[in-house]
Amino acid sequence: MEKLQKLTGIADIIVFAAATLAIAGVFYEGMTLKWYGFVGILVVCMDYSFMPATLLHLIADRSNKQRAVHLFSLLLVIAAVVMKILGIPYPPLTLVFWYFYIWFLYGSLIIRRHVCAPRAD
């Protein structure tokens, strides 16, 4: 189980970095009022790192207090996939919520693991 916890820690950092780059890319597009292909790649990297990290947390954090948050994340993923399959366009406000939800969630997970964790001194 300790290896799984280390893996979730690495996944948290990857998802947070991907979300940070995706948000920065979208912001840059808005500032320059141009469309850049690399921003779409950053968003895909964020999405496809978020999905397995959510499943990983659901497996690794069974007795954790944050299980409800990860279940909510799973529901968001399911809703996004269903909307994509049905061809329902995502409203811009939900995309903003999606980006910042992932960013804040994984940022808080990293802070909780590395800053708030009890030290074995």
Side-chain angles (χ1 to χ4, degrees):
M1 195 62 144
E2 188 174 319
K3 287 184 181 182
L4 197 54
Q5 289 298 327
K6 286 183 182 181
L7 190 59
T8 58
I10 293 168
D12 293 348
I13 292 169
I14 291 170
V15 174
F16 182 73
T20 301
L21 291 173
I23 291 169
V26 171
F27 179 76
Y28 185 70
E29 278 183 339
M31 292 299 292
T32 60
L33 298 176
K34 293 181 182 176
W35 179 261
Y36 298 101
F38 73 91
V39 175
I41 294 169
L42 295 174
V43 171
V44 167
C45 289
M46 178 189 69
D47 289 343
Y48 286 115
S49 63
F50 170 66
M51 291 178 204
T54 298
L55 294 175
L56 191 61
H57 273 286
L58 285 172
I59 294 167
D61 302 337
R62 290 186 181 181
S63 61
N64 196 336
K65 293 178 183 178
Q66 290 188 339
R67 185 156 174 84
V69 175
H70 298 301
L71 285 172
F72 180 70
S73 295
L74 182 63
L75 289 175
L76 286 177
V77 168
I78 291 170
V81 169
V82 167
M83 287 176 72
K84 188 62 133 179
I85 290 171
L86 295 178
I88 300 170
Y90 304 119
L93 188 58
T94 58
L95 291 174
V96 171
F97 171 73
W98 178 264
Y99 296 156
F100 282 101
Y101 172 77
I102 294 170
W103 193 58
F104 284 123
L105 173 62
Y106 283 87
S108 68
L109 290 173
I110 291 170
I111 289 170
R112 181 168 296 187
R113 180 181 303 266
H114 297 287
V115 176
C116 301
R119 299 188 185 266
D121 292 336

